[in-house]
Amino acid sequence: MPPALIADHEARYRQALAGNAFEVEHETQGRIFITRGVPLSNAAGKIYAALAVSYDITDRKRAEEMVRVSEARLSAVFEALPVGVGFVNPV
């Protein structure tokens, strides 16, 4: 983990140890991750640890951006063209 992220992650783990789940999106070494953390409790309900799992979502974020760009282009084409759409009901 890059040193710049340690303080932020420590605060998140402490949040989970205090009983509050967390979810944070962050970039590390050119990749985008989502980290989710939850408190772990024993049978008596006492929090004894925090579980955090990070998922690499770089490909998903890139695909979402490609969809946004494609939708923007398509929208620009429809706005620029004087085209109408009609439906004919054959009788």
Side-chain angles (χ1 to χ4, degrees):
M1 175 182 303
L5 293 177
I6 291 174
D8 183 55
H9 283 318
E10 180 183 358
R12 303 276 183 202
Y13 284 96
R14 290 186 184 281
Q15 177 182 338
L17 289 170
N20 302 306
F22 69 87
E23 179 175 299
V24 63
E25 195 174 294
H26 55 93
E27 187 172 336
T28 303
Q29 298 176 349
R31 305 293 293 176
I32 303 169
F33 295 88
I34 188 164
T35 300
R36 295 181 176 121
V38 295
L40 298 177
S41 304
N42 61 20
K46 181 175 169 62
I47 297 170
Y48 66 91
L51 171 65
V53 178
S54 294
Y55 303 92
D56 185 339
I57 60 170
T58 306
D59 293 338
R60 184 185 88 192
K61 294 300 255 182
R62 288 180 182 156
E64 288 171 352
E65 181 60 24
M66 288 172 43
V67 168
R68 276 192 289 277
V69 168
S70 179
E71 287 175 342
R73 287 180 183 158
L74 185 59
S75 179
V77 167
F78 278 112
E79 288 177 14
L81 294 176
V83 176
V85 177
F87 296 95
V88 177
N89 187 4
V91 188

